[in-house]
Amino acid sequence: MNHTTCLTNKASLLAVLLMNAAANLPARDITVKGSDTMVVLAQKWAEVYMGKNADAKIQVTGGGSGTGFSALQQNKTDLCNASRKIKPKEIEACIQAFSKRPTEYKVALDGLSVYVNEDNKLRTLSLDELEAIFTGKIKNWNEVGGHDAPITVYSRENSSGTYEFFKEHVLKNKDFVASAQTMPGTAAVLQAVAKDKNGIGYGGAAYGVGAKHLAVSREKGGEAIEPSEENVVNGKYPIWRYLFIYLNPALDKGPIGAYLSWIRSDDGQKIVKEVGYYSLPKNLRQ
Amino acid sequence: MSIPTPSAKRTIGWMGIQRGHRARPFEWLMEKFIFLVSLSAILMVFLIFIFVAREALPIFFGQMNSAPVQPALPVEEMNKLPKEKLREYLGLSPAKFAAMDEETKKLLMEARLEAQTEIPEALRQNKDAMLNTTQWRYLLQPYQWTDYDKPEYIWQPIGQIHKYNIMPLLIGSLKTTFAGLVFAVPLAIAAAIYVSQLARPRWREIIKPGIELLSAIPSVVVGSFTMLVLATFLQKVFGYQTRLNAFVAGVGLSLAVIPVVFTIAEDALTSVPRSYTQAALALGASKWQAAWQIVLPAGLPGVFAAVVLGFGRAIGETMIVLMVCSASVMSWSLFDSARSITTTIAAEMAEAVAGSHHYRILFMLGALLFAVTFVTNMIGDLVIHRLKRKLEGKR
């Protein structure tokens, strides 16, 4: 008898403790997953935001936009970074998971550069030439006015949003040439191009120490445009994209909502610039 | 007249319980614990196999459809359709369908319709857009896709049309494995012969742990070393076109395979009775002759087992191949790139939505890999037994 009362006492004590804990529960960790392109940016955001708000805890991981979406569909992440738009199939899977369409926020602008080796004399290529090179129609540098050597194409793994964006917008949905070497990240592409004087690769304009960024013209003989901030933001440079954050609309409140609106505020957008992407024009921040 | 045997009482009982758990309870407990652990290992292998096979089954039975253009129903049809039809159309499991409220179902209907109306006209006109590319015909045989001028084997799982031809991956795996074994096996076996037969004890003490230490290097490290240093060096020496290719991957792989083959081959050769060598030497053979013509043949089953294990290690190795080369080219040349099955699974699994056709194809590849290693191990085992019997003269 005595024993049981003791137990119930303990149980009630535990319950009280638990309730207390729930009441002053510190803000739960915010998990962010997705695009490798955005990892550095997202980490910087998290770092600065956590510095300002002592009770915020944010965990950032990469893996690729596709990886982020698949985590979002399994409710394994709060925010999903993506360097491409969500696909219809992924919207469907999200609806199945949390009965709502995911909310989409544009959070930054990014230009995609085409890299070649420093020793390559070539300065500019047109969009059509890029398509032909990456689909394997053009196989030698001398066909586009370069030196006489076969072209080695470096690409990204197909879980990358950059891969899909490039395939859709530069290759016009044609396939990459089969001999394209797929590299695990933008840094690896750069690394490979820097070491291979016949190499060509693509990736964020923010990266790029060690290789040369080509200027790109919309058609052959047209004006060649450098992937600079000005040219990307005003839309002159032809290969650019938005960077997105997706989330379950039910979570878009409280600490997560505050974090998201901070990202799109002037403070957050200043960091975008520091990391090397381009901040959103004011009219797109809502 | 029978002598009562006192031991009869305490021998075998149920699971040996009567055998002596009173006399030596600790040993008895340990024995049972080890038995359970080994049993759970077998169970684990079995469960993993079941899991892989289950995820891959819809591909084997042709139940997946990867065509991007599919019939879509207007949202109003939702209430007219029989429940079972609706569930099939939305692609939901019965349990999930029952738990879902009307609002969500409606959202799903809308999303499905929108996905179909968003398809650009160019894709709608594309003859490939109606194909179910997960059929075996497209997985194994070349096909002339739009924009290609001849039938080709294409692995491009991401894109408007999902091209899942697995032949480039099979060839990639075989190519890198072959290249790895070509380097590793002769070197490892030669080292094993040297260390077990010819080397002075002092040298043996240095070389053996040295080679075995190779296996302690994480494969990521071997991979990056191969990618950054070896690749450049080998290209300078041989002057081939593609810097990162199956040959370089093979050299990298051999660093992982050598310790495996060496350790087992060395054990096998050392366990050949000393008297064989001594007899050969007494008959006037040189040390070298004794090693090559007596000990190596006698230890052959063990050496063969080492090679089979080395093969398993090479074909299952992921990181080195992933880092060194990963283009899915259909080419038997060692100096072209290659994409192995393991690379594909590692690089794409995280991206694939659970239950999608891409996901199932990857599991199918996993099952294939499992089957390949299983069959080679079995053949290896058979050959070893035959060799053993032959060597022992028990034809």
Side-chain angles (χ1 to χ4, degrees):
Chain A
M1 183 62 197
N2 218 344
H3 191 64
T4 22
T5 34
C6 182
L7 261 184
T8 30
N9 268 343
K10 266 187 188 162
S12 56
L13 192 71
L14 199 70
V16 168
L17 273 177
L18 275 176
M19 272 157 71
N20 265 345
N24 341 317
L25 196 70
R28 152 186 99 82
D29 289 11
I30 302 175
T31 51
V32 183
K33 195 176 173 74
S35 165
D36 277 329
T37 310
M38 290 169 71
V39 161
V40 180
L41 174 62
Q43 271 166 354
K44 189 87 191 170
W45 269 332
E47 213 178 289
V48 174
Y49 190 74
M50 283 190 287
K52 285 182 178 166
N53 302 277
D55 55 346
K57 268 243 165 98
I58 303 163
Q59 289 175 7
V60 180
T61 43
S65 302
T67 312
F69 282 124
S70 104
L72 188 70
Q73 289 149 18
Q74 292 159 30
N75 290 323
K76 281 186 194 154
T77 182
D78 299 324
L79 303 183
C80 163
N81 288 338
S83 56
R84 60 167 169 83
K85 249 187 142 41
I86 191 167
K87 284 187 258 183
K89 274 269 169 229
E90 289 161 340
I91 296 184
E92 252 185 60
C94 282
I95 296 176
Q96 285 191 23
F98 43 75
S99 305
K100 296 260 172 43
R101 275 163 178 275
T103 316
E104 169 190 293
Y105 287 113
K106 296 183 175 108
V107 290
L109 284 175
D110 180 27
L112 276 191
S113 278
V114 177
Y115 319 124
V116 293
N117 190 278
E118 300 268 13
D119 293 341
N120 199 324
K121 296 278 182 304
L122 213 66
R123 303 215 151 275
T124 126
L125 282 173
S126 71
L127 278 179
D128 290 340
E129 284 169 334
L130 283 178
E131 180 193 322
I133 287 174
F134 279 96
T135 53
K137 295 262 170 353
I138 291 180
K139 292 193 161 65
N140 196 307
W141 282 109
N142 63 17
E143 291 173 61
V144 288
H147 57 292
D148 178 20
I151 301 173
T152 326
V153 174
Y154 292 97
S155 173
R156 288 286 310 280
E157 267 310 335
N158 54 32
S159 58
S160 142
T162 314
Y163 168 98
E164 287 182 60
F165 179 85
F166 205 79
K167 188 168 184 175
E168 205 177 316
H169 289 87
V170 179
L171 272 60
K172 317 232 165 55
N173 283 315
K174 297 193 180 74
D175 288 334
F176 277 94
V177 57
S179 61
Q181 309 254 358
T182 60
M183 311 305 277
T186 304
V189 172
L190 259 177
Q191 167 73 256
V193 173
K195 291 211 171 211
D196 184 345
K197 60 181 192 299
N198 301 324
I200 187 167
Y202 60 89
Y207 287 84
V209 189
K212 189 162 72 179
H213 294 226
L214 287 181
V216 177
S217 60
R218 282 182 194 271
E219 59 269 330
K220 190 146 180 63
E223 187 192 358
I225 296 149
E226 297 282 342
S228 64
E229 168 170 13
E230 196 195 340
N231 291 336
V232 170
V233 174
N234 67 20
K236 263 176 96 181
Y237 182 74
I239 321 171
W240 64 274
R241 59 181 170 176
Y242 290 114
L243 301 179
F244 301 96
I245 290 182
Y246 287 90
L247 80 160
N248 177 353
L251 294 176
D252 193 1
K253 57 180 188 238
I256 297 181
Y259 179 52
L260 276 170
S261 44
W262 175 80
I263 283 178
R264 285 172 298 130
S265 73
D266 285 345
D267 282 353
Q269 292 296 310
K270 207 169 73 198
I271 291 164
V272 173
K273 254 185 170 173
E274 281 168 22
V275 178
Y277 301 105
Y278 311 123
S279 40
L280 281 179
K282 283 250 175 348
N283 55 338
L284 280 175
R285 292 198 191 166
Q286 282 330 298
Chain B
M1 161 178 152
S2 66
I3 303 161
T5 45
S7 63
K9 225 178 175 183
R10 35 188 297 269
T11 46
I12 322 119
W14 181 75
M15 279 178 77
I17 277 182
Q18 285 155 8
R19 195 171 48 195
H21 71 288
R22 286 203 198 105
R24 294 199 172 85
F26 181 69
E27 281 174 18
W28 177 84
L29 251 171
M30 277 318 278
E31 188 193 319
K32 293 302 150 213
F33 177 69
I34 294 169
F35 169 73
L36 278 181
V37 167
S38 47
L39 204 68
S40 71
I42 296 170
L43 195 73
M44 213 56 188
V45 171
F46 190 67
L47 279 179
I48 289 176
F49 184 73
I50 297 263
F51 170 68
V52 170
R54 199 196 59 181
E55 297 295 318
L57 271 187
I59 294 293
F60 287 112
F61 290 132
Q63 290 167 341
M64 300 303 288
N65 190 357
S66 68
V69 175
Q70 282 179 6
L73 301 172
V75 182
E76 304 84 61
E77 289 281 307
M78 194 174 110
N79 299 323
K80 295 180 202 155
L81 226 55
K83 282 227 155 30
E84 193 53 23
K85 274 264 166 56
L86 182 66
R87 187 185 69 76
E88 234 164 63
Y89 171 70
L90 294 176
L92 299 169
S93 65
K96 221 170 177 183
F97 183 78
M100 198 172 269
D101 58 26
E102 290 300 304
E103 199 56 30
T104 313
K105 279 179 204 160
K106 204 171 153 205
L107 267 174
L108 266 183
M109 296 283 292
E110 280 171 16
R112 177 65 64 88
L113 189 65
E114 206 174 294
Q116 289 298 320
T117 45
E118 264 177 16
I119 289 176
E121 202 48 39
L123 179 60
R124 214 171 267 288
Q125 299 301 329
N126 191 335
K127 66 179 169 48
D128 300 342
M130 313 290 251
L131 294 180
N132 176 10
T133 52
T134 59
Q135 289 165 330
W136 284 107
R137 189 224 169 291
Y138 302 106
L139 294 185
L140 296 174
Q141 289 170 22
Y143 179 75
Q144 182 165 359
W145 303 98
T146 323
D147 297 326
Y148 286 87
D149 19 295
K150 59 177 192 301
E152 281 190 63
Y153 299 90
I154 302 291
W155 173 266
Q156 296 255 357
I158 307 287
Q160 284 183 330
I161 291 157
H162 312 277
K163 294 162 193 165
Y164 288 129
N165 198 296
I166 61 173
M167 292 311 273
L169 310 180
L170 280 179
I171 288 176
S173 265
L174 291 180
K175 229 163 66 168
T176 47
T177 305
F178 173 76
L181 289 183
V182 161
F183 287 110
V185 167
L187 281 175
I189 292 180
I193 293 175
Y194 179 74
V195 167
S196 70
Q197 302 300 317
L198 306 173
R200 291 195 201 147
R202 190 148 173 219
W203 278 108
R204 183 181 311 159
E205 293 312 310
I206 300 174
I207 297 176
K208 197 172 149 138
I211 296 180
E212 284 168 356
L213 213 60
L214 255 185
S215 66
I217 305 178
S219 51
V220 197
V221 177
V222 176
S224 35
F225 172 72
T226 315
M227 178 174 82
L228 298 175
V229 183
L230 272 184
T232 312
F233 172 73
L234 289 172
Q235 192 182 26
K236 272 204 187 114
V237 173
F238 292 96
Y240 44 73
Q241 168 59 35
T242 322
R243 194 177 88 95
L244 299 171
N245 56 33
F247 169 76
V248 178
V251 175
L253 265 184
S254 69
L255 292 179
V257 175
I258 283 174
V260 175
V261 179
F262 169 79
T263 311
I264 298 168
E266 203 265 345
D267 278 352
L269 293 177
T270 312
S271 63
V272 171
R274 208 72 192 145
S275 55
Y276 285 27
T277 323
Q278 283 162 353
L281 292 178
L283 289 172
S286 69
K287 243 182 151 182
W288 181 255
Q289 281 172 326
W292 266 105
Q293 294 172 9
I294 305 296
V295 179
L296 184 62
L300 209 56
V303 173
F304 190 79
V307 175
V308 170
L309 269 174
F311 172 85
R313 175 81 166 89
I315 204 164
E317 172 57 48
T318 309
M319 215 50 217
I320 298 174
V321 190
L322 173 76
M323 294 183 84
V324 175
C325 60
S326 54
S328 54
V329 271
M330 184 70 186
S331 146
W332 283 101
S333 165
L334 283 185
F335 296 104
D336 278 332
S337 191
R339 189 180 181 86
S340 72
I341 294 177
T342 48
T343 300
T344 311
I345 297 174
E348 298 175 14
M349 187 55 94
E351 141 84 358
V353 179
S356 66
H357 32 89
H358 190 190
Y359 173 89
R360 302 238 184 261
I361 295 259
L362 292 178
F363 269 99
M364 195 271 286
L365 284 172
L368 202 68
L369 200 63
F370 200 102
V372 168
T373 34
F374 188 74
V375 168
T376 32
N377 273 356
M378 229 161 71
I379 293 175
D381 222 43
L382 274 178
V383 174
I384 290 165
H385 274 287
R386 286 199 122 179
L387 275 174
K388 238 186 189 156
R389 289 175 64 179
K390 205 170 153 191
L391 287 167
E392 288 166 0
K394 294 181 197 157
R395 276 255 200 207

